[in-house]
Amino acid sequence: MGEEKVNVPTAESHSAFTRHLLQDVQALEYMLKHEWFETDTIRIGAEQEMCLVDRKTLKPTPKNINVLKRLKEYPWATTEIARFNLETNFTPRTFGGDALRRMEEENMEQLRLVKIAAKASNAHIVLTGILPTLRKFDLALDNLTPKPRYLALIEAIKAQQKNERGFELNLQGIDELHIHHDSPLLEACNTSYQVHLQVTPDTFVPLYNIAQAVAAPTLAMAANSPLVFGKRLWHESRIALFQQSLDVRTSKEHMRQSEPRVSFGTRWLDQSIMEIYKEDIARFRVLLGTEIDEDSLDLVGQKKIPKLRALQVHNGTVYRWNRPCYGISENGMPHLRIENRVLPSGPTVLDQTANAAFWLGLMMGMAHEYKDIREHLSFADVKDNFSKAAKFGIDTQFTWFNNRKVSCRDLILNELLPLAYKGLQARGIDQPDIERYLRVIQERAEVHQNGARWLLKSFTSLTERVNRDEAVTILTSQMIKCQLEQDPVHKWPIPKVEDLKHYRPVGLRVEEFMETDLFTVREADLLELVGDLMDWRKLRYLPVEDENGHLCGLITTRKLLRYYIQKGRINNNMNDYRTVGDLMIKNPTTVSPQTTIKEAMQLMRGGKLGCLPVVKDDELVGIITEMDFLRVAGRLIERLK
């Protein structure tokens, strides 16, 4: 949307904007019917999103405006919705010859300049789908980039939200994550590498359908986002996270179907790009408006090219994973593009360019081989493949042609890579470049390691020795190092604890540190049950909660031991059994998730406490004990050796 002013429309401006939107639809239909669109040149381009982290802590740092001030002479650098994100835009290039290599070189040069600007603000840049060190509180609205269009978007989406609990995120992988958040800024977890392919009006429908068909295997090979807030979830958690972060739907007793604003789509295209635009206008209310000084129908009547700003603003608030785009080329002619939004940022520039080459080659190769992809795959299978690819990445089993079940690895190596080779050759891409980029995909499949698998294996290995915060810090440090060296991710070694020279848990909050896999008891439970439970699980503290999850008290081994010393189990006398309510510490000292570790340590030391239950809105959400602090202290002492 550039720097154009957008807003949450009033009733009056909503009507005016809607009229412009409908006029844009009519104008676009006229231009398509009368063949106004550029057809003799096919171009490619891309957008690079990235994260900014503090150079010492490797946590997100909200300095995008400071960095951009140092890049003000470069129009390709721009903001993203969160203050710890940046975006760069590549020069559109004719799809042929050395275009892919020049795209890679341009990306490298842009990132070099961004790194210099970031360093001056004491920041690193990281290319990754979801930053491992990202924390839930980093997504508070004070980290919203201070631009009117972002605030307008947040306000518009929140106005649509009817769920009292706000925006919910529910994901299950190796671990589970069930949280709610008060704003749609959860979207800012995601950073992508978005590739654009210019198409003609005549080829839009078959190529868009192919883009839908190959989205799943492309995503599976590129998956790079399995960690969210220290939880191992989907191999490409961006897919579910983005949908749920903007999902304003509410559950109903009846089974009325409704689509989220972030979606894969509902059916194949049949005739025209207009099917997408019309469906999106019909399904989704206008969220944002803007002042529009052009009458698109009047311009078309004068044989002039309209910008279709209303249509573009609305299209920018409906997030299809393959998005249609309208634009005007430097020669003044309108053109159409397919924007691939499934690819995550990272792990390296080479990996990203290989992902783009694979997708672009596959688009061209499939189009040459299959006139109508709908004759070979059902839309239901394609949509199911996409969901499975997001969950399982390179481990996915796909449903492919003729209802055949095939592993991702076999599909890539035996069928899709040969098609991608042919597609790039048909576009005249330089042969050494074809070999360079597609070899990355081939070797990634052969060794069965993409970014997601590297992160999952590394995180699991590290957490056997260190806490989650230190593990994700080590991962982020290793990612920065490997990105500088530019080895593709399938060659990355599993990091060791010793690879991070300096770990600074300064400023950690309790919610980053606390134990959330809790064992609890109720007031009416027998003390015999408590004793056995504490023995079985080697627990020193047991929170007492009611049926609503509210903290009622705390049982400690010291209290339990004193009781048994004084009372004992006298001849197994059933009448002497006591309950938790008789022994628990009522109104124990608690902390909130936002309490810093330093504050918690001072509280425990001052009160001679062995643990602190963590409570939010009267609900028990975690616990920290002296053992947690001993583990961190032990790790810091080890690092001094």
Side-chain angles (χ1 to χ4, degrees):
M1 293 182 202
E3 295 302 320
E4 182 174 16
K5 292 183 180 179
V6 297
N7 52 59
V8 180
T10 62
E12 182 178 352
S13 64
H14 182 280
S15 297
F17 183 84
T18 302
R19 280 193 292 271
H20 281 292
L21 182 58
L22 297 176
Q23 288 175 351
D24 285 356
V25 169
Q26 296 176 56
L28 181 56
E29 283 187 305
Y30 182 91
M31 289 190 288
L32 289 168
K33 181 179 179 180
H34 292 85
E35 301 180 347
W36 283 21
F37 283 83
E38 187 175 33
T39 58
D40 58 348
T41 303
I42 299 300
R43 299 181 183 87
I44 57 174
E47 303 166 38
Q48 172 76 71
E49 297 174 354
M50 66 200 75
C51 300
L52 292 168
V53 299
D54 182 86
R55 292 178 70 87
K56 292 182 178 179
T57 66
L58 302 184
K59 299 295 195 297
T61 186
K63 295 180 178 177
N64 63 355
I65 299 299
N66 292 342
V67 174
L68 285 172
K69 285 179 180 177
R70 294 183 169 91
L71 295 168
K72 59 184 178 181
E73 62 183 288
Y74 302 110
W76 42 259
T78 186
T79 57
E80 256 298 324
I81 191 167
R83 296 174 65 197
F84 49 79
N85 291 139
L86 282 174
E87 178 182 295
T88 59
N89 295 273
F90 301 173
T91 305
R93 304 184 186 282
T94 301
F95 188 11
D98 62 355
L100 291 172
R101 178 161 36 88
R102 292 174 65 196
M103 178 186 290
E104 180 187 8
E105 291 169 352
E106 182 178 27
N107 195 2
M108 292 291 292
E109 176 60 16
Q110 289 181 350
L111 291 176
R112 184 186 69 81
L113 294 169
V114 175
K115 287 173 185 174
I116 294 171
K119 185 176 182 180
S121 294
N122 196 34
H124 282 300
I125 63 171
V126 186
L127 305 182
T128 184
I130 297 175
L131 182 66
T133 53
L134 192 67
R135 302 150 300 184
K136 181 172 178 280
F137 59 80
D138 289 316
L139 304 167
L141 282 180
D142 56 2
N143 267 340
L144 181 72
T145 297
K147 297 280 181 138
R149 68 179 184 276
Y150 297 131
L151 181 59
L153 179 62
I154 293 294
E155 289 178 346
I157 295 173
K158 287 182 70 174
Q160 299 280 316
Q161 174 60 262
K162 306 302 180 185
N163 189 338
E164 292 182 0
R165 291 173 62 86
F167 298 85
E168 297 191 3
L169 180 59
N170 297 295
L171 274 174
Q172 183 172 2
I174 299 174
D175 304 315
E176 293 186 53
L177 184 65
H178 302 288
I179 61 171
H180 60 91
H181 196 49
D182 58 1
S183 90
L185 199 58
L186 279 169
E187 170 200 351
C189 288
N190 294 343
T191 38
S192 306
Y193 181 75
Q194 297 161 12
V195 183
H196 293 247
L197 172 64
Q198 185 176 333
V199 297
T200 68
D202 288 342
T203 62
F204 185 90
V205 168
L207 283 173
Y208 189 86
N209 286 337
I210 288 172
Q212 295 284 78
V214 304
T218 304
L219 173 65
M221 287 302 294
N224 188 36
S225 312
L227 297 178
V228 184
F229 308 144
K231 302 286 188 179
R232 296 161 295 182
L233 305 173
W234 291 9
H235 281 226
E236 192 53 46
S237 301
R238 284 173 47 255
I239 303 304
L241 196 152
F242 193 25
Q243 177 179 316
Q244 294 180 28
S245 68
L246 299 182
D247 199 346
V248 297
R249 298 173 300 170
T250 55
S251 58
K252 304 287 185 180
E253 183 177 350
H254 49 74
M255 296 180 65
R256 176 180 171 184
Q257 180 175 335
S258 59
E259 288 292 306
R261 293 189 90 92
V262 180
S263 80
F264 186 75
T266 58
R267 60 181 65 86
W268 294 118
L269 282 194
D270 187 38
Q271 298 292 330
S272 165
I273 187 177
M274 298 307 303
E275 295 167 38
I276 297 178
Y277 286 129
K278 289 179 178 179
E279 179 180 7
D280 288 349
I281 293 171
R283 284 190 183 277
F284 305 110
R285 290 186 59 81
V286 167
L287 281 185
L288 298 178
T290 187
E291 294 183 8
I292 299 174
D293 57 8
E294 74 168 20
D295 184 320
S296 55
L297 284 178
D298 183 57
L299 288 174
V300 166
Q302 300 176 46
K303 305 299 182 184
K304 295 181 180 179
I305 306 299
K307 295 179 181 177
L308 304 185
R309 284 307 304 151
L311 187 62
Q312 294 201 58
V313 168
H314 185 65
N315 191 47
T317 64
V318 180
Y319 305 92
R320 291 177 179 258
W321 290 108
N322 286 301
R323 178 191 269 173
C325 295
Y326 166 89
I328 301 175
S329 301
E330 289 186 355
N331 60 15
M333 293 189 68
H335 67 257
L336 301 178
R337 305 187 309 278
I338 297 171
E339 179 187 10
N340 178 340
R341 299 173 59 83
V342 310
L343 298 175
S345 179
T348 65
V349 171
L350 176 56
D351 280 302
Q352 291 179 152
T353 313
N355 293 337
F358 178 59
W359 180 72
L360 291 166
L362 201 48
M363 291 285 289
M364 297 295 101
M366 293 281 276
H368 184 266
E369 194 77 15
Y370 305 105
K371 182 178 180 181
D372 190 343
I373 198 69
R374 297 176 297 179
E375 296 174 358
H376 305 277
L377 284 167
S378 72
F379 188 82
D381 283 337
V382 166
K383 192 169 185 177
D384 183 51
N385 283 342
F386 185 73
S387 177
K388 289 187 295 189
K391 291 178 182 177
F392 307 116
I394 202 171
D395 299 332
T396 306
Q397 289 283 120
F398 291 115
T399 302
W400 206 244
F401 292 5
N402 303 316
N403 202 36
R404 180 166 46 93
K405 308 302 179 184
V406 59
S407 71
C408 177
R409 180 181 182 277
D410 289 343
L411 181 63
I412 297 299
L413 292 175
N414 300 332
E415 300 181 49
L416 300 188
L417 268 175
L419 282 171
Y421 268 99
K422 291 178 181 178
L424 294 178
Q425 287 171 337
R427 288 303 312 173
I429 294 294
D430 292 347
Q431 189 64 30
D433 293 345
I434 298 176
E435 298 288 342
R436 170 177 166 78
Y437 299 123
L438 295 190
R439 187 183 303 115
V440 171
I441 304 299
Q442 177 182 335
E443 293 178 357
R444 195 186 294 168
E446 288 173 343
V447 303
H448 205 78
Q449 178 166 294
N450 59 5
R453 280 189 60 83
W454 180 83
L455 279 162
L456 288 169
K457 288 188 292 184
S458 300
F459 182 78
T460 300
S461 173
L462 289 168
T463 50
E464 291 176 356
R465 290 189 56 190
V466 300
N467 64 61
R468 285 182 303 167
D469 181 74
E470 187 170 355
V472 296
T473 305
I474 294 168
L475 282 175
T476 304
S477 173
Q478 190 75 352
M479 290 166 66
I480 293 170
K481 176 185 174 183
C482 291
Q483 286 171 5
L484 287 172
E485 294 173 352
Q486 274 298 298
D487 274 338
V489 73
H490 67 270
K491 296 182 178 181
W492 287 12
I494 301 300
K496 299 179 177 64
V497 170
E498 295 75 22
D499 289 336
L500 181 63
K501 302 304 180 185
H502 303 286
Y503 171 57
R504 295 176 173 84
V506 179
L508 278 182
R509 301 191 190 189
V510 164
E511 64 183 316
E512 302 172 71
F513 195 71
M514 65 187 183
E515 177 59 57
T516 57
D517 183 13
L518 302 179
F519 292 88
T520 64
V521 291
R522 302 281 179 86
E523 285 191 62
D525 287 339
L526 295 176
L527 288 180
E528 274 66 23
L529 170 65
V530 173
D532 286 338
L533 181 56
M534 297 180 90
D535 178 44
W536 295 339
R537 302 302 307 182
K538 304 296 186 288
L539 301 173
R540 300 180 65 188
Y541 308 97
L542 265 179
V544 185
E545 62 179 349
D546 64 19
E547 62 275 9
N548 296 316
H550 297 152
L551 183 70
C552 304
L554 183 71
I555 289 285
T556 70
T557 52
R558 179 178 296 180
K559 293 273 289 186
L560 198 63
L561 180 61
R562 184 180 299 122
Y563 166 75
Y564 280 126
I565 290 174
Q566 294 175 354
K567 301 292 184 180
R569 299 185 183 183
I570 305 174
N571 298 322
N572 291 324
N573 183 353
M574 297 296 292
N575 295 325
D576 194 48
Y577 284 177
R578 303 281 296 277
T579 64
V580 168
D582 297 323
L583 196 66
M584 70 182 188
I585 299 170
K586 298 181 180 180
N587 302 315
T589 303
T590 65
V591 291
S592 75
Q594 288 75 38
T595 305
T596 67
I597 292 298
K598 182 178 179 181
E599 292 169 338
M601 290 179 68
Q602 291 172 339
L603 189 60
M604 291 175 71
R605 187 167 58 243
K608 297 182 179 180
L609 304 173
C611 81
L612 287 170
V614 186
V615 175
K616 182 177 182 181
D617 299 329
D618 296 324
E619 182 181 349
L620 178 68
V621 295
I623 190 169
I624 56 172
T625 71
E626 72 274 355
M627 290 303 298
D628 296 317
F629 292 114
L630 281 174
R631 278 192 289 270
V632 171
R635 287 291 306 126
L636 293 175
I637 291 171
E638 285 179 25
R639 288 186 175 279
L640 294 175
K641 293 179 180 179

